Amino acid sequence: MRLHRLDITAFGPFGGTQSIDFDALSAAGLFLLHGPTGAGKTSVLDAVCYALYGSVPGARQSGQGITLRSDHAAPGTRTQVTLDLTVAGRRLEITRQPPWERPKRRGTGTTVDKAQTWLREYDASAGAWKDLSRSHQEIGEEITQLLGMSREQFCQVVLLPQGDFARFLRADAEARGKLLGRLFDTQRFAEVEKRLAERRRATEAQVREGDAALLADAHRMQQAAGGALELPDLAPGEPGLAQAVLTAAAVARSTAREQLAIAHCRLTAAEAAQQTAERALADVRERDRLQRRFAEARRRAALLEERAGAHREALERMERGRKAQTVAPALELREAADAAHRRAAAAEARARALLPQEHADAGAAGLAAAARRAAEELGGLQSARRAERRLADLVAERADVDRQERADEDALREAEAWLDGWETTRAALQSRIETAQEAAGRAEQLAVRCEDIRARLAAARTRDRLTGETDEAQRRALAAAEHAVRAKDHWLELKEQRLNGIAAELAARLTDGEPCAVCGATEHPAPARKVAGHVDREAEDRALAAYQDADEERTAAERRLGDLRAALAAATAEAGDTPTGQLAADAEELERRLTRARHDASGLHAAQEQLRRAEQERERRLADRRQAEVRAAARLTRRESLDREQTALEAELSEARGTAASVAARAEQLQRRVSLFTDAAEAARAAEESAQRLKEADGRLAEAAFRAGFATPQAAAAALLDDAAHRELQHRLDAWHTEEAAVRAVLAEADTVAAAAQPPADVAAAEAAAAAAGRLLREAASARDAAARRCAELDRLSARAARGAARLAPLRQEYDRVARLAALTAGTSAENERRMRLESYVLAARLEQVAAAATVRLQRMSSGRYTLVHSDDRSGRGRSGLGLHVVDAWTGRQRDTATLSGGETFFASLALALGLADVVTEEAGGVRLDTLFIDEGFGSLDDQTLDEVLDVLDSLRERDRSVGIVSHVADLRRRVHAQLEVVKGRSGSTVRRHGVA
């Protein structure tokens, strides 16, 4: 990364626009940024960091970007930072403008403009800049990816702010590992650790789940076996569980099959006894049925004898009915003729009563002639009916013309009234439109302010939540650390006890004739004996594992605490110190104002649309008024034509009506007359014909009764049976014959007669014996079925348990393998002697390279006294891999970097930062750091050490690098020729270059 140019406007102490040409300053390789205290030296570095990341380093951060604005800037000048740089081979230009509270363009007061960001790239082929993005998020991700560092890491490696010189040098292993992991892209190794841990947890859960399923099947088999199965006293995950379950299942299956064989034998005996009892019951029931059948037949024979007289009378009545049946057709014919004659005579009397008096005695022919004359007169009224309908149409047309005239007059009056108020309506609508447009402008401004305060409110709520979570995480981390200390003390105590009794433990393995593992002797005259309180190796290993687990929990708790603190710092940076309640109240007030403005602006479209419709309505009413005037002239001519036609039709209708009120009334009179004469003629003819048919029916009836043997027709009618009486009588005769035949058949049966001669049957005793046998059979069958179900269920569960054990075997092997690898990469395995994680192992190699590169410069700065070395020893209770020590050549010993003096710490950390930059640049895919800044710290060096440090920094020009020194030490102005001076004044600070072209 190389900086080319920085433009600052209204930023920090700089009230105007200042440009810094880093290309000119970097030409000398080493340049000085100096000025009096408070002039703004560090603000230049703040501007670089703000351009790259949108925020400033360390304690200078603020939750409100608006505080970055210079107090010396003019009200109309907006704060802006533009940085021109080359990174990853690309020439980029980043421009950032923080939120700005500016004066309103109209009216009084101020309004807030949102933050703006631009990213451009120089296209060498086209020789011009091209825009890439205006999104804060996209630009942030792009710059972070190109630099490969977060803001905090960038400030630690490139911009070393005040008080942070020794931050990386004195950082603990975890913090040092985070920075190195980001710079050297070792996240994939951490992912390997994570994936192995997840695989271990997943396979462990699967093994436990499989063992739990086996135990569940064992419990089901115990229930199926009625408690006869003894379950193994093992928990899920313990070895040997599957074999113990399968062995117990085999014993249970064998016992169940023996019980099934016994139950089957009992069932066979019960079935035989039940069949014997059922056969005896069937015999007793049959004898009882035959005895009751014989007694019933004797009773029915006695009843037949009592009804013999009634049976003979029914036979005689049936015979007389058959003879009368031959006279029935003649009787029906005579009754039909008599009924028809009476109906015809009554109809004739009713029809003649409606006729005029002069036609009351006329015959059928005379009545038909009168009907024909009335019909001819009715046909002559058709023309009058048409005239009457036309007259009604004329009246309706005249009424329609009058209605149209009234409607046109009303429309004209309404149009005149509406047009008179047109100017007032148009002015009111135009005023509504202007008011809504002004409200829309206010709504846009308020929306911008609402978006900013919502973001701050969300960050404040996150800040409040993370504050509580951080406190809780701190308590948990402290508790985990205390637990780890207790676990370690317990492990060391057990280890000491074991070492005290190790002689007895070795003596237990001695065998006569075999050499001793300690002295090699083959004779063992006095082996040591166990002492009280001796601890074996397994107890020591369990204590060690408990301590390792506790230490891992402590590390996780501390990592969680660090993440929460970083998140809290980020949320605090965005939200500031403003209370959440105040931010919520401000946001609510802005929301209310925005809602009101949007509500006022929402009527804009409606008012514009209403004005457009009003103008269309005006044009329509003008057109309607013109059309109404044209229709009024046409109606005058139409009314005169209708009057002439109405006069002619009224004269024609007066002649056709005669004395009637209307043509319809006259037609109704004639129609009624035709109907009366026609009905009367038909009734007279029907009466004459029915009288002749009745006379003929009387003669046929008398002749039929004489031939059938009856003295009179009335006697034949009395003997006649209707269908219901005939069926009832025939049913009685048939039932008599059927009953007589059935009784004779039963009394003739040999089995029935023989059964009647035997003693009465005892059905109740036989049923009781059969019920007892059936109960015993059901109990035996139930016992046999229960035994069969037990066998089937045990077979099914045993087969499922066997399949589960077969599936679980390779899974358990996989779990053992994955658990060993996960523990090894996580540094918790006993095989990992230094408890070094996989990522720490990789980073340790990188840190060793950084220490070697830093030592080259550190030896020059310290006149060969100090050397930085990487240490993979464990620090305190932590894990090993990322330690740094300094070797003092004067004493020949290693010591902690915290023992260095202030000046020694400064040049040691400077050498380390330069070495880190070298290794990052040489790393494949690493970021080349061509520009470094050192903020203060040179005042702690003596003259000789200062010369050596400057020589080292000056040697960076050999690798085309430049180093900017930020300091107010006066001696540096004499030693460093390329300078950028920051001059402060009452109207703000300015910059000046010295010693460069």
Side-chain angles (χ1 to χ4, degrees), residues 603-619:
L604 176 60
H605 177 72
Q608 292 174 340
E609 184 64 20
Q610 190 172 356
L611 177 60
R612 183 184 63 80
R613 289 197 299 269
E615 292 174 346
Q616 294 177 350
E617 180 67 14
R618 177 174 175 273
E619 296 298 328

Side-chain angles (χ1 to χ4, degrees), residues 673-929:
R673 187 180 183 86
V674 170
S675 177
L676 291 175
F677 282 119
T678 302
D679 292 344
E682 292 178 355
R685 283 194 298 272
E688 293 172 357
E689 292 174 356
S690 63
Q692 181 63 33
R693 287 194 297 272
L694 177 59
K695 183 178 179 181
E696 293 175 357
D698 285 338
R700 292 192 187 96
L701 176 59
E703 183 181 359
F706 177 77
R707 285 198 299 268
F710 293 99
T712 64
Q714 290 75 15
L720 188 63
L721 296 173
D722 58 11
D723 290 343
H726 183 274
R727 285 195 300 272
E728 192 274 334
L729 187 58
Q730 185 64 46
H731 177 71
R732 286 167 54 192
L733 293 174
D734 292 343
W736 169 272
H737 291 298
T738 301
E739 179 70 7
E740 184 182 23
V743 169
R744 289 178 181 174
V746 171
L747 294 177
E749 291 176 354
D751 293 342
T752 304
V753 175
Q758 295 180 6
D762 189 357
V763 179
E767 288 179 346
R775 185 169 56 256
L776 293 176
L777 176 61
R778 288 191 298 273
E779 292 174 356
S782 177
R784 193 277 311 270
D785 294 342
R789 287 194 300 271
R790 184 180 299 111
C791 287
E793 183 67 9
L794 288 173
D795 289 341
R796 182 182 68 82
L797 293 174
S798 297
R800 189 166 74 175
R803 291 193 299 271
R807 289 193 303 268
L808 194 59
L811 187 61
R812 187 180 295 277
Q813 294 176 359
E814 181 183 0
Y815 165 68
D816 294 338
R817 182 175 63 257
V818 171
R820 179 174 175 271
L821 288 175
L824 186 63
T825 57
T828 59
S829 172
E831 297 175 303
N832 192 334
E833 296 179 355
R834 296 188 178 276
R835 302 192 63 214
M836 185 183 296
R837 296 172 49 234
L838 178 61
E839 185 182 17
S840 300
Y841 177 77
V842 177
L843 292 177
R846 295 290 186 268
L847 183 58
E848 190 173 2
Q849 296 175 359
V850 171
T855 296
V856 175
R857 296 184 176 90
L858 180 59
Q859 287 182 341
R860 292 182 58 186
M861 294 179 186
S862 63
S863 300
R865 178 178 179 182
Y866 294 118
T867 301
L868 279 176
V869 294
H870 160 253
S871 172
D872 57 4
D873 293 334
R874 296 174 59 181
S875 57
R877 299 186 182 92
R879 298 179 183 176
S880 59
L882 297 178
L884 271 179
H885 288 169
V886 61
V887 178
D888 190 344
W890 291 1
T891 63
R893 293 185 177 182
Q894 291 187 12
R895 55 191 175 98
D896 193 89
T897 54
T899 61
L900 295 174
S901 65
E904 292 171 341
T905 298
F906 167 71
F907 63 68
S909 59
L910 177 60
L912 186 62
L914 296 175
L916 181 63
D918 291 341
V919 175
V920 169
T921 302
E922 295 173 359
E923 175 72 15
V927 180
R928 178 175 176 82
L929 305 177

Side-chain angles (χ1 to χ4, degrees), residues 10 74 195 206 283 296 457 472 502 563 589 621 660 805 969:
R195 290 292 297 276
Q206 291 174 352
D283 293 342
E296 180 66 18
L457 178 58
E472 178 63 21
I502 194 66
D563 294 341
E589 176 61 25
R621 289 182 181 272
V969 177

